[in-house]
Amino acid sequence: MYSEMKSALQKPTRKYTYREVDESEVVSALEDIFVIRPQTLRNICKHFVDELTLGLKEDGHTLKMIPSYVSHRPTGKETGSYLALDLGGTNFRVCEVYLEGDSKVRLTQKKFTIPDYAKCGQSDVLFDFLADSVLTFITENHIPTESDIPLGFTFSFPVNQTAIDKGYLMVWTKGFDCKDTINKDVVALLNEALARKNVKVHVTALVNDTVGTLMSHAYNDPGTFVGVILGTGTNAAYVEKVSAIPKWKGGPVESGEMIINCEWGAFDNERVVLPFNKYDQKMDEESTNPGEQTFEKMISGMYLGEIVRQVIVELVQRRILFGGVSSPEIETPYKFETAYMSRIERDHTSDLLDTKMVLQELLNIPYPAPRDRRIVRRICELVATRAARLSAVGVAAVVTKMERVEDGCTVAIDGSVYEHYPHFGNRMKDALHELLGMFEENVNIVLGKDGSSVGAGVIAALA
Ligand code: ADP
Ligand code: MG
């Protein structure tokens, strides 16, 4: 029965018109491809813990497990005013962070959009753009610049960090591709750009957004041991014992602990445990970094909409959806945004009228029938649920690695996917329960809003 349903989908056949393929057959075949069962979750989690351990042992493994040079968590008593710059992937923000000393923070910020020409051109173009934005911000906010202002730079790409204010870019991700930045110290690049523009600001700390999120939340909750990003990309950082980091060659660390940036987006680039399917593969092949960031590509905001689009395009080609009628928009890579999925999953009208609006007005599908809208909604649900469940695997693996399953801890999560995608948190919680049983209750997952920016201020204060 099941195999018949599947073959109905798999045959690129002219014999079937879309009317002949029953909605439930289409849906069950997709479920077969996208649903991750509890046993598979557990297998992935086990492999994840092994990979975390391996990455701490020596360089050259899939998980880079980068020591952040942040070895003290905040007390909540730190005070002062710091500049922070947060380059995440989609959003770029310049902020002034005021630490009030009683675990409270005030934040003034301005968002900028990074133009495409700056993402993939010469390094100097990108860093000049960043420096110009800092200048705009301090001018607009009348920030006095008699003395050099310390700035925490949240730079959320894999860097080989060699000091709190030094880090060499290993590889671009999330659609960035300025070739001449690779192997350069991004702090020096930003300081040089600031000097070129005569901006009296000096970078004192280089921060990964995951580390920032952890530190920012730890400023008011000392039980915070993990910071996670679920935004354009995905990644996590956690508190590790220095004695458990064999590759650490940086000398004794007073606190005995070090925050590790896992760079977990690269998990399973070997593709041995993740159920990376034909739609994922197609998206991957057409991406700027094929073969890389496998875990990230199944989870984060940059890719979820594109996976949904790949499924839709295939179903249209097979005349299973929209009567086989496509549109230039739906044929365009990345045109189906992850935010559309959020909107579609929030559509509780009986005829899925908002889904119809998205399909007709944003994607130019002439007549999406109610049946088609239901299928599209189900595709979104399947892709997003898989993402949430895989995110939970990452969290469970890190908590297991820290041996905090029984004692518990707070996991702070920042990023638009976690913040805005409906049910994302609950779907994660369900999967965590499948993985940890009753211990799931010990893992306190919270939204660490603005953590990646505020954390840069907190770390600048500690530096
Ligand atoms: P960054 O990763 O640049 O720090 P965000 O955390 O805001 O920025 O994440 C941006 C990503 O979140 C985008 O890739 C976008 O696809 C996704 N996104 C934006 N709005 C929504 C939404 N309403 N629902 C789900 N995802 C969203
Ligand atoms: Mg961010």
Side-chain angles (χ1 to χ4, degrees):
M1 192 41 185
Y2 218 55
S3 62
E4 276 169 36
M5 291 183 207
K6 265 181 83 181
S7 65
L9 259 183
Q10 280 166 351
K11 275 182 207 156
T13 166
R14 245 169 246 105
K15 202 165 69 192
Y16 297 95
T17 69
Y18 82 105
R19 290 271 165 241
E20 276 172 288
V21 185
D22 191 64
E23 183 180 335
S24 66
E25 290 177 29
V26 179
V27 167
S28 18
L30 290 170
E31 282 169 356
D32 213 33
I33 295 175
F34 281 100
V35 172
I36 309 184
R37 310 281 168 207
Q39 186 53 45
T40 312
L41 278 189
R42 286 191 283 269
N43 286 343
I44 302 171
C45 190
K46 198 166 160 292
H47 187 62
F48 212 128
V49 177
D50 293 344
E51 288 292 295
L52 291 167
T53 311
L54 208 54
L56 292 172
K57 206 168 144 209
E58 66 227 342
D59 287 336
H61 292 286
T62 314
L63 294 189
K64 295 196 173 79
M65 305 300 283
I66 304 165
S68 65
Y69 287 78
V70 176
S71 56
H72 288 277
R73 280 175 291 146
T75 59
K77 300 217 160 48
E78 295 78 5
T79 54
S81 168
Y82 302 88
L83 278 183
L85 202 151
D86 181 0
L87 180 65
T90 305
N91 296 313
F92 162 57
R93 308 195 279 184
V94 185
C95 320
E96 190 176 20
V97 180
Y98 305 86
L99 305 178
E100 297 188 346
D102 51 358
S103 295
K104 290 208 183 70
V105 178
R106 275 185 296 142
L107 182 70
T108 313
Q109 58 166 318
K110 187 176 168 76
K111 279 192 190 175
F112 298 84
T113 305
I114 304 165
D116 283 338
Y117 69 80
K119 284 186 182 174
C120 297
Q122 294 287 313
S123 242
D124 285 357
V125 177
L126 175 64
F127 285 87
D128 280 349
F129 175 81
L130 304 186
D132 277 329
S133 310
V134 174
L135 184 57
T136 307
F137 181 82
I138 55 179
T139 312
E140 282 182 8
N141 290 283
H142 313 291
I143 295 171
T145 56
E146 294 86 57
S147 58
D148 258 13
I149 312 172
L151 178 141
F153 181 19
T154 303
F155 181 80
S156 311
F157 300 90
V159 296
N160 176 14
Q161 193 147 2
T162 57
I164 187 67
D165 60 352
K166 207 184 263 300
Y168 300 84
L169 178 69
M170 295 171 169
V171 60
W172 282 115
T173 54
K174 298 179 279 193
F176 278 67
D177 199 16
C178 307
K179 298 269 186 298
D180 62 333
T181 323
I182 305 293
N183 292 326
K184 298 238 174 81
D185 172 17
V186 293
V187 173
L189 290 175
L190 182 56
N191 275 331
E192 285 158 18
L194 289 164
R196 275 199 293 279
K197 306 272 168 187
N198 259 321
V199 190
K200 288 219 168 114
V201 169
H202 195 79
V203 184
T204 55
L206 177 64
V207 179
N208 186 269
D209 52 359
T210 55
V211 181
T213 299
L214 196 172
M215 292 292 279
S216 145
H217 205 266
Y219 189 70
N220 58 45
D221 173 0
T224 312
F225 282 80
V226 187
V228 174
I229 295 294
L230 292 167
T232 309
T234 183
N235 188 12
Y238 74 102
V239 182
E240 184 57 280
K241 294 184 287 291
V242 174
S243 59
I245 316 172
K247 72 177 179 185
W248 173 253
K249 298 287 180 289
V253 177
E254 195 193 326
S255 65
E257 59 183 45
M258 171 69 68
I259 296 180
I260 296 287
N261 161 15
C262 302
E263 286 299 336
W264 81 12
F267 172 67
D268 202 33
N269 277 351
E270 304 77 14
R271 311 221 168 132
V272 294
V273 286
L274 288 174
F276 206 70
N277 64 42
K278 59 179 175 176
Y279 304 109
D280 300 313
Q281 245 142 27
K282 189 114 193 301
M283 173 268 287
D284 179 45
E285 281 159 19
E286 294 165 8
S287 71
T288 56
N289 54 351
E292 286 171 41
Q293 300 296 97
T294 302
F295 190 59
E296 174 163 275
K297 282 174 175 156
M298 299 175 83
I299 288 181
S300 72
M302 173 153 182
Y303 306 101
L304 296 185
E306 177 60 12
I307 299 170
V308 170
R309 192 191 71 83
Q310 293 284 357
V311 179
I312 293 177
V313 166
E314 196 215 41
L315 295 184
V316 173
Q317 272 168 9
R318 291 183 178 181
R319 309 194 57 197
I320 289 170
L321 261 187
F322 312 142
V325 180
S326 187
S327 75
E329 284 75 10
I330 200 78
E331 299 288 335
T332 307
Y334 298 94
K335 202 77 183 173
F336 195 111
E337 296 178 15
T338 301
Y340 299 172
M341 297 169 66
S342 278
R343 213 173 125 179
I344 290 171
E345 282 220 54
R346 265 204 199 93
D347 183 359
H348 296 292
T349 59
S350 58
D351 282 341
L352 297 178
L353 290 178
D354 196 43
T355 303
K356 183 180 173 204
M357 291 263 276
V358 171
L359 292 170
Q360 270 183 337
E361 286 171 23
L362 298 170
L363 297 161
N364 257 319
I365 304 295
Y367 185 71
R371 160 200 178 276
D372 296 337
R373 299 174 217 162
R374 284 193 300 271
I375 293 175
V376 168
R377 189 170 195 275
R378 186 69 184 129
I379 299 168
C380 295
E381 215 173 279
L382 286 168
V383 171
T385 302
R386 187 183 68 162
R389 290 169 70 74
L390 288 175
S391 310
V393 169
V395 170
V398 167
V399 175
T400 305
K401 172 72 187 71
M402 282 192 299
E403 298 176 349
R404 286 217 148 255
V405 174
E406 283 170 39
D407 292 342
C409 65
T410 298
V411 177
I413 308 189
D414 192 12
S416 292
V417 171
Y418 183 75
E419 188 180 352
H420 300 299
Y421 203 103
H423 320 302
F424 206 92
N426 282 338
R427 288 167 178 170
M428 280 183 77
K429 233 169 132 53
D430 284 348
L432 265 186
H433 192 86
E434 288 164 36
L435 288 159
L436 303 177
M438 64 174 187
F439 294 115
E440 172 262 313
E441 284 181 14
N442 301 347
V443 182
N444 178 28
I445 297 186
V446 296
L447 175 66
K449 197 168 159 54
D450 298 327
S452 45
S453 310
V454 172
V458 173
I459 294 167
L462 290 169

